[in-house]
Amino acid sequence: MRKLSNFINYFFTGVGFGAATYLIILTFASPSVPTRLGVISVFIISGLIGILSMIFAMDVPPAIAFSVHIIGTFLLVLLMSWINKWPINFCLIGVFILVYIIIWLIVILSQVRIVKEINSSIKKRNAKK
């Protein structure tokens, strides 16, 4: 049951990142109007990218995990572009790289904050002893 819970958690985390990214791109960089197919494909593909992120929780060397994740993510983005008939060009690659870096920065900053909160709680607990 725990594995299913992790699976669902990763899926919806991916959906959150994908939906936010899609909305930002639509707002600032794309003159196109969202379509039903576009929204559904973003949700599903983003969820799959989230599931792909589970590789970082496995006992895999970080370089291999990162390589698999970035290649798999890029292939899923290409699939989403093909499904939606979005142009597949150098602009797409540039946007992919930029978004990938920004999302990684958000994830790293979030993890740093969580670690600081945990360390603070541990220090408070140890100070009470």
Side-chain angles (χ1 to χ4, degrees), residues 16-31 42 95 98-99 102-103 106:
F17 276 114
T21 302
Y22 183 57
L23 289 172
I24 290 168
I25 290 171
L26 282 176
T27 302
F28 298 109
S30 175
V42 166
V95 169
L98 179 64
V99 167
I102 290 170
I103 290 174
I106 291 168

Side-chain angles (χ1 to χ4, degrees), residues 93-126:
I93 295 169
V95 169
F96 170 79
I97 291 169
L98 179 64
V99 167
Y100 195 84
I101 290 169
I102 290 170
I103 290 174
W104 264 106
L105 288 173
I106 291 168
V107 168
I108 289 168
L109 291 173
S110 175
Q111 288 180 345
V112 166
R113 182 186 55 80
I114 291 168
V115 167
K116 284 182 180 180
E117 288 175 4
I118 291 170
N119 287 338
S120 176
S121 295
I122 291 171
K123 285 180 185 177
K124 287 179 185 176
R125 185 185 63 194
N126 288 340

Side-chain angles (χ1 to χ4, degrees), residues 37-59:
L37 178 63
V39 171
I40 291 169
S41 69
V42 166
F43 282 173
I44 293 171
I45 299 289
S46 297
L48 293 175
I49 292 169
I51 292 168
L52 183 60
S53 299
M54 291 176 80
I55 192 166
F56 294 108
M58 296 177 178
D59 191 23

